[in-house]
Amino acid sequence: MDYALLLSNFARDHGHHSWPRQRLLHECLRHAIRAGTLAAGTRLVATRALAAELGVARNTVLYAYEQLASEGFVVPDRRGTVVARFVPEPAADAATQGRGRLPAAQAGLSRRALNLRPLSNGASDAQAFVPGVPDLQAFPLALWRRLLDRAWRGLDPAQLNYGDPAGAWPLRTAIADYLRASRGVVCEAEQVFITDGSQSTLDLCARACADEGDTVWHENPGYGGALAAFRHAGLAVEGIPVDEEGMAPSAHDWQARRPRLVYTTPSDQYPVGTVLSLARRLALIDGARRSGALIIEDDYDSEFRHDGPPLAAMQGLAPDAPVLYCGTFSKTMFPGLRIGYLVVPPGLAPQLALLRAQSSAAGRVAEQLALAEFVTSGQFLLHLRRMRRLYRERRDALVAALEKHLGRIATVHGASAGMHLSLRLPDWLPDEAIRARARDEGIVVNALSAHAVREAAAGQVPWNGLMLGYAQVPAEAMEGLVKRLAAVIHLAAYEAERFRPAQGRPEVRPKLHRDARQNA
């Protein structure tokens, strides 16, 4: 065995030239033993001889041998050092993989982890038209720093311990007061539970209010984060179609697919943007009562209502409504805050508090106290008013640009509230292909079809289109960005029509030809 060559090849192949010689030798020998290059029973070269061969101090070799012995790779005896009876794990070949064995990178994962959907365009991207991210440049960061500093200075040593699992009492009180006044939610502070954001809230609802195998209704298309939470909890997800009035369960659904939980985003349906009508809201509450179900009302961005006053929450529409009301500060303030809240019916609060005490050690008291002051001082409402004006201006600019450049081929939906709208495309123009092309042009849009719970049933019309967030896009930049997106869509439409049969072609074909040539 040429140990000098073995060491040189290891350093070259693994890029470890900068390591100390004793560590490099130890790692090299361990790698050779695990790979089988130094087979079990092989007697290693004496320390003095190996030191001379490699041109290193004998202590370097002694260190490597001692480390290998302590790890069980070699066994010292009276005649020297011998490789232990260590059996290296053989690499899985293609035939083994073909028989259903998991790739090494996935070994040990649960079915839940393996069956996750790929993420759509990440909200961490700061590009047009990423949905779900507020204008972070407009947040009063200097004020927030002062509030945090004041909160930290006011803490006593006892508050450095684990906090109340339900959340800091001043923040729970502030949220209850705010929701009663602005959203029509009927609640007391004891019903409010602080979470680490929307996903944490949905995980809590799924674990606390349903058992594995129970049925949960989910809007179709709907929010992928909720879908993931329900599937992680082992719930049976049933997609309920969404139309122009929001979630639309039928009488047959209530009978044949009786739910334990009903998930809905009534004030700004995600991703389509429709508003659940009052008749549908009341019918959903009545159906849930008769079925013994709980409604999860995800009110993630209802503060940004652009056409008329904010709509009242479902939770306060009827006495003792069976509603779990969810909210978050990720949209109204900033996502990195990671603070959301859950309002539960009074009868559920004691047991939920016990569950939280046993499963969630609360902390971050200073951030919660700072947020409580931000709300109670009136600064939160001032910030919301500023952001409403800003987002309405950007919404108007986006709608005008879409109507100008895409009015003949697409329809705008869900522009009355929130920070995004949807652009519905004809079914012969696949939204996923448009999404991929737009991404290549530096424009981030989500495909509505990617939010489907599953394939649409017979008689249901799937949503085919794009989800466009506008909160981060300045109004003056909207025209140019929409023009670039329109060029992508028109070119895709032109190419799609070239391969379509002559019968059934839309009447807009001649116009699309001109738009494709002009905008490409």
Side-chain angles (χ1 to χ4, degrees):
M1 171 69 69
D2 187 339
Y3 284 87
L5 179 61
L6 182 70
L7 185 65
S8 175
N9 289 342
F10 177 80
R12 181 197 64 213
D13 295 342
H14 295 81
H16 296 327
H17 293 283
S18 61
W19 279 4
R21 297 291 288 179
Q22 58 185 13
R23 182 184 177 189
L24 181 62
L25 178 59
H26 165 243
E27 294 286 351
C28 171
L29 295 176
R30 182 169 64 170
H31 180 270
I33 294 172
R34 295 189 65 181
T37 306
L38 291 174
T42 300
R43 189 170 301 279
L44 299 184
V45 177
T47 56
R48 291 184 187 277
L50 183 56
E53 179 181 344
L54 299 179
V56 298
R58 185 186 176 209
N59 284 342
T60 298
V61 181
L62 286 171
Y63 169 86
Y65 281 17
E66 289 171 359
Q67 284 293 107
L68 291 172
S70 67
E71 295 167 350
F73 288 99
V74 298
V75 178
D77 64 15
R78 288 177 299 175
R79 296 170 53 196
T81 303
V82 179
V83 176
R85 296 294 174 183
F86 174 80
V87 181
E89 182 178 335
D93 56 21
T96 304
Q97 302 254 358
R99 289 196 295 268
R101 181 170 178 177
L102 284 176
Q106 297 181 2
L109 292 176
S110 67
R111 286 192 298 272
R112 291 189 298 272
L114 292 173
N115 292 330
L116 294 176
R117 286 183 171 189
L119 289 174
S120 57
N121 303 317
S124 60
D125 292 338
Q127 305 179 60
F129 294 94
V130 175
V133 181
D135 185 348
L136 303 178
Q137 299 295 326
F139 182 73
L141 188 55
L143 171 61
W144 180 247
R145 287 196 185 104
R146 291 197 298 272
L147 294 176
L148 274 178
D149 181 62
R150 186 151 56 233
W152 274 110
R153 284 189 280 109
L155 289 184
D156 58 50
Q159 290 175 296
L160 300 179
N161 204 343
Y162 296 113
D164 186 340
W169 183 254
L171 180 57
R172 297 169 70 190
T173 302
I175 290 174
D177 293 342
Y178 164 72
L179 292 177
R180 284 195 301 267
S182 65
R183 302 294 298 118
V185 173
V186 180
C187 70
E188 299 298 332
E190 291 83 358
Q191 299 169 244
V192 179
F193 290 81
I194 307 303
T195 69
D196 292 328
S198 292
Q199 198 62 39
S200 172
T201 304
L202 294 171
D203 288 338
L204 176 60
C205 291
R207 289 188 297 107
C209 301
D211 295 311
E212 186 172 357
D214 284 344
T215 297
V216 56
W217 283 1
H218 190 284
E219 296 168 323
N220 190 17
Y223 175 49
L227 185 64
F230 301 145
R231 286 180 172 167
H232 288 174
L235 306 186
V237 180
E238 294 287 347
I240 303 297
V242 169
D243 60 20
E244 284 74 8
E245 290 186 57
M247 193 178 196
S250 65
H252 178 265
D253 291 326
W254 286 109
Q255 295 174 1
R257 302 195 286 175
R258 195 180 186 91
R260 178 73 174 268
L261 294 174
V262 177
Y263 174 77
T264 182
T265 50
S267 295
D268 184 22
Q269 200 280 331
Y270 192 98
V272 173
T274 57
V275 175
L276 189 64
S277 66
L278 178 60
R280 293 259 181 99
R281 294 178 185 225
L282 295 175
L284 203 59
I285 292 173
D286 182 60
R289 275 182 174 152
R290 287 186 281 106
S291 300
L294 284 171
I295 299 170
I296 302 175
E297 180 181 5
D298 191 347
D299 211 18
Y300 64 99
D301 69 353
S302 62
E303 286 84 357
F304 303 123
R305 176 83 177 162
H306 307 310
D307 300 327
L311 302 174
M314 286 180 62
Q315 193 266 7
L317 285 180
D320 301 322
V323 174
L324 303 168
Y325 180 84
C326 310
T328 177
F329 291 96
S330 294
K331 306 297 184 286
T332 53
M333 294 179 63
F334 57 95
L337 182 59
R338 306 314 306 143
I339 293 181
Y341 51 87
L342 172 65
V343 180
V344 304
L348 301 185
Q351 202 65 21
L352 190 61
L354 183 60
L355 174 65
R356 292 286 284 174
Q358 295 182 5
S359 62
S360 177
R364 301 194 299 143
V365 175
E367 286 86 344
Q368 294 188 31
L369 294 178
L371 179 55
E373 184 178 355
F374 190 64
V375 174
T376 57
S377 66
Q379 291 296 328
F380 181 59
L381 290 177
L382 288 175
H383 176 63
L384 287 181
R385 282 199 286 269
R386 288 193 296 267
M387 302 314 291
R388 282 195 198 103
R389 288 194 297 269
L390 184 65
Y391 294 160
R392 187 185 304 118
E393 176 187 352
R394 295 177 178 182
R395 186 279 311 260
D396 292 344
L398 177 58
V399 170
L402 290 173
E403 291 177 348
K404 176 180 178 181
H405 295 285
L406 288 164
R408 296 194 60 194
I409 193 174
T411 307
V412 173
H413 281 267
S416 64
M419 304 187 299
H420 77 271
L421 54 79
S422 60
L423 185 69
R424 196 162 192 178
L425 299 171
D427 57 5
W428 51 268
L429 191 56
D431 55 9
E432 187 58 41
I434 299 297
R435 181 206 65 80
R437 287 189 174 204
R439 185 74 191 224
D440 292 340
E441 296 296 323
I443 297 176
V444 178
V445 291
N446 282 355
L448 294 181
S449 63
H451 293 272
V453 174
R454 56 173 57 90
E455 294 296 327
Q460 295 182 14
V461 179
W463 284 84
N464 179 68
L466 305 175
M467 182 182 180
L468 280 67
Y470 50 81
Q472 299 183 83
V473 185
E476 58 272 17
M478 210 70 77
E479 171 85 15
L481 289 167
V482 169
K483 191 172 182 180
R484 287 168 55 194
L485 177 62
V488 171
I489 294 175
H490 283 305
L491 183 58
Y494 174 59
E495 292 175 351
E497 288 182 59
R498 292 178 60 191
F499 298 100
R500 283 168 53 81
Q503 60 273 23
R505 286 186 179 179
E507 296 180 358
V508 295
R509 182 168 55 89
K511 175 71 162 75
L512 289 179
H513 285 214
R514 291 194 299 272
D515 289 341
R517 289 195 297 268
Q518 292 170 0
N519 294 328

